[in-house]
Amino acid sequence: MPGWKSDKQLHSDYRAEKEDSPGYTPDEAERLAGYRARILELTTFVITHPYWGTLSGNRVEARTALKHAHDPAGPEV
C-alpha cells in the first residue's frame, strides 16, 4: 500500500506520516488465508450448532451471553 502524509494540524506543526508498505510476503499471505478459513469454519460451526434450536427464548441474547462466558464476572443474561 502506498504511504501517506497527513495535513498540518491546527496549532501544531506535527504531520503524521506512514511509509509505503511492502505488503505481505507469500508465506504471510498463506498463513492469513489459513487463519481466515479457520475463523469461517469455527463461526459456521457455532452458529449452526443444534443447541441454538433447543432455545425457546431470545437467541441473540443467548449468543451474546456466550461471547462473555469467559468474563471474570460471568455472563449477563
Side-chain angles (χ1 to χ4, degrees):
M1 295 188 71
W4 53 268
K5 188 170 186 176
S6 70
D7 295 332
K8 180 183 170 303
Q9 301 298 312
L10 184 63
H11 305 299
S12 173
D13 289 329
Y14 176 74
R15 289 181 175 217
E17 60 184 287
K18 192 77 167 170
E19 294 182 18
D20 289 348
S21 171
Y24 294 116
T25 65
D27 181 52
E28 291 171 332
E30 185 178 335
R31 281 189 291 142
L32 181 60
Y35 295 149
R36 288 180 173 161
R38 182 67 174 149
I39 289 170
L40 180 60
E41 177 186 344
L42 293 172
T43 300
T44 302
F45 178 79
V46 170
I47 65 173
T48 61
H49 193 278
Y51 168 75
W52 302 115
T54 66
L55 298 178
S56 60
N58 187 328
R59 291 182 183 140
V60 173
E61 288 177 5
R63 287 182 181 138
T64 301
L66 177 62
K67 289 180 186 179
H68 297 283
H70 67 282
D71 292 350
E76 293 181 21
V77 181

